Amino acid sequence: MRVRAPLVCSLCVLAGQGAEAAITLDLTSKDSIKAAASTIAFDLMSYYTGNNTGDVPGNLPDPYFWWEAGAMFGTMINYWYYTGDSTYNAVTMQALLHQAGDDFDYMPLNQTKTEGNDDQGFWGMAAMTAAETKFPDPPSGNPGWLALAQGVLNTQIARWDETTCNGGFRWQIFTFNNGFNYKNSISNGCVFNLAARLALYTGNATYADWALKTWDWMNAVGLMSPQYKIVDGTHNTDNCTQKDGNTWTYNAGIFLLGGAVMYNYTNGSALWQERVTGLLNASMIFFDESGIMHEFCEFGKCNVDQRSFKAYFARWLAATAELAPFTHDIIMGKMRTTAKAAVSTCTAGKRGTECGLRWNMTNDGSLGVGEQMAVLEAVQSNLVDSVPGWVSAVKGTGTSQGDVNAGTGSTANSRLTTGPVTTADRAGAGILTALVLLGVLGGSITMILE
């Protein structure tokens, strides 16, 4: 994941501020929820240019980074799953297959030089969602969604690093990228989440072992507190002593869902029920007194990446409510309140239906992919009770083709190291992450303040 300098709000179209909500939403009506989701999805996909002639399938235009495109297509798989609307299935499948890379592990050569573990992880989780929701299988001759998710995990677990901090995964994959010395919660969360889900889908205990190993390291190193508060990350240059104490919705959500999956995998163990309960209670800091979801950077200034974080939190909350039913009523109560507030901001943009960032006010003028994704997940998550649960090979309901050895023969490393890393390569990588490292030194890895 990368961080850019603060954007001048070129996308902040203020037309429609203060107007009545342009999208109506009746949460007692599935048709109303689907209609609202359809409108939000249309505005979201209007930002996508990868299906235009001469553009690259799976990429979003500037200022969005590659990882967010993968996250967006995860949202669009969920859109199909919840609504049954297949309008965007073809472009979603095209994107997921095109960006899989030569080794089908989401290490495409056009991204790899600046790709982080979390970037790869978001594409892998999108493929996993496709397997779990029984998204249409790829055409013959392509790997299955399950195999793509396995390819990501297999390449990532090979990067487990015990040279410092007694283990954990680094943020960056390659030594020449700034941030290689940072071990962050989201990169470790991607492995925990994906490993747990692969264990549930396949029944393979090796995946569960990796989920447990990552969970234990997060606790031992202090990125997850005894009260289940998850902070952003830590540098290995001081053996992971000091921490960046910022809290983000997506860090809470990625571990919450992974925990719910492990609860399900262990047939409702008391230990995982306790952990999921603790994670859910700790995540209540991301809701205001009215029950509306927020990101703390909204009280200052969120960058492009951060504007999308609530999307993943909402997505993973809804899945948690399904997989760990004891959380259902608490989560869905918050999701109903949040959806109503979020959709009330959808009054801007060319059509007067684009949504804002802050949901406790009228449209704040902050428009974009992240804002649309977040509101779409908040709205469509209210359909979770009306769709079949996730499928799996264990239950005999999953049909996605897997490959337990996927990714183990990855050539991404050798492709990158056959030639010298140029000054331009280093400079490009450095520019992308310099602000992040400056932020860490100041106690914040990603927050950009006014």
Side-chain angles (χ1 to χ4, degrees):
M1 207 165 294
R2 309 289 185 269
V3 178
R4 294 183 182 272
L7 281 181
V8 176
C9 204
S10 60
L11 294 176
C12 298
V13 183
L14 300 179
Q17 268 197 337
E20 293 185 2
I23 301 175
T24 58
L25 178 64
D26 176 3
L27 291 174
T28 66
S29 165
K30 287 191 290 185
D31 288 341
S32 176
I33 298 172
K34 290 179 181 181
S38 175
T39 300
I40 300 164
F42 180 89
D43 285 331
L44 169 59
M45 292 303 289
S46 70
Y47 285 91
Y48 179 58
T49 59
N51 56 340
N52 292 346
T53 302
D55 211 327
V56 179
N59 280 355
L60 282 165
D62 218 31
Y64 304 102
F65 288 109
W66 180 73
W67 79 270
E68 192 165 345
M72 183 187 77
F73 288 111
T75 289
M76 298 315 297
I77 293 167
N78 255 1
Y79 172 75
W80 163 82
Y81 173 58
Y82 285 132
T83 69
D85 181 2
S86 61
T87 299
Y88 307 104
N89 282 12
V91 294
T92 298
M93 182 179 294
Q94 179 194 41
L96 287 169
L97 294 177
H98 189 86
Q99 292 296 329
D102 293 342
D103 298 314
F104 305 115
D105 54 8
Y106 290 106
M107 292 283 289
L109 190 57
N110 66 325
Q111 299 294 334
T112 303
K113 286 189 177 182
T114 56
E115 186 175 341
N117 279 307
D118 52 350
D119 305 330
Q120 183 190 22
F122 268 88
W123 283 90
M125 288 185 291
M128 192 70 230
T129 300
E132 292 158 339
T133 60
K134 218 169 184 177
F135 189 71
D137 291 326
S140 178
N142 291 279
W145 305 124
L146 177 60
L148 289 170
Q150 289 169 312
V152 169
L153 188 72
N154 284 338
T155 59
Q156 295 207 327
I157 60 177
R159 302 176 193 138
W160 179 262
D161 171 42
E162 294 190 352
T163 62
T164 59
C165 311
N166 296 313
F169 293 97
R170 297 172 183 260
W171 175 31
Q172 294 299 318
I173 298 171
F174 297 105
T175 58
F176 53 78
N177 280 330
N178 290 329
F180 183 71
N181 292 328
Y182 194 65
K183 295 188 175 184
N184 59 351
S185 293
I186 193 60
S187 294
N188 285 274
C190 286
V191 173
F192 172 68
N193 185 291
L194 187 54
R197 290 162 69 177
L198 282 167
L200 184 63
Y201 191 100
T202 67
N204 187 334
T206 301
Y207 296 130
D209 291 343
W210 272 104
L212 287 168
K213 187 172 186 174
T214 308
W215 173 275
D216 289 344
W217 181 83
M218 284 286 297
N219 282 270
V221 82
L223 292 181
M224 184 187 298
S225 76
Q227 294 75 39
Y228 300 96
K229 176 185 176 182
I230 300 169
V231 297
D232 190 83
T234 182
H235 274 106
N236 68 3
T237 48
D238 65 356
N239 203 36
C240 298
T241 301
Q242 294 187 333
K243 311 294 188 296
D244 173 355
N246 281 297
T247 55
W248 303 97
T249 54
Y250 77 155
N251 280 332
I254 202 165
F255 282 94
L256 178 62
L257 175 57
V261 172
M262 291 301 292
Y263 168 81
N264 203 281
Y265 173 78
T266 57
N267 297 312
S269 74
L271 176 61
W272 280 106
Q273 180 167 347
E274 176 187 340
R275 289 171 171 176
V276 170
T277 300
L279 287 164
L280 182 59
N281 289 341
S283 74
M284 290 298 106
I285 62 172
F286 299 111
F287 295 92
D288 66 18
E289 292 180 356
S290 300
I292 301 170
M293 188 187 298
H294 62 80
E295 196 75 60
F296 284 116
C297 63
E298 293 171 12
F299 304 112
K301 189 177 184 67
C302 301
N303 67 32
V304 174
D305 285 350
Q306 295 155 7
R307 295 173 200 171
S308 70
F309 288 177
K310 290 186 294 185
Y312 324 127
F313 188 42
R315 177 194 303 175
W316 294 327
L317 280 169
T320 296
E322 173 70 21
L323 291 165
F326 63 89
T327 68
H328 179 277
D329 291 351
I330 294 173
I331 288 175
M332 296 316 296
K334 298 292 186 185
M335 293 308 299
R336 285 189 289 271
T337 300
T338 291
K340 289 176 185 176
V343 84
S344 72
T345 72
C346 302
T347 59
K350 293 180 180 178
R351 302 198 311 152
T353 53
E354 287 195 47
C355 311
L357 175 63
R358 296 185 64 176
W359 297 340
N360 62 349
M361 59 190 297
T362 56
N363 190 292
D364 60 0
S366 179
L367 310 180
V369 170
E371 291 86 344
Q372 290 300 124
M373 254 202 293
V375 177
L376 179 55
E377 292 282 16
V379 169
Q380 67 191 17
S381 290
N382 284 275
L383 293 168
V384 69
D385 293 336
S386 66
V387 295
W390 285 354
V391 301
S392 73
V394 171
K395 293 187 287 189
T397 51
T399 60
S400 188
Q401 294 297 307
D403 177 1
V404 70
N405 296 314
T408 56
S410 178
T411 60
N413 266 320
S414 61
R415 290 201 311 264
L416 281 178
T417 56
T418 50
V421 178
T422 66
T423 302
D425 290 335
R426 292 182 184 275
I431 290 168
L432 289 175
T433 54
L435 286 176
V436 175
L437 298 179
L438 288 172
V440 173
L441 294 174
S444 170
I445 189 168
T446 45
M447 187 175 291
I448 297 177
L449 299 177
E450 296 281 7

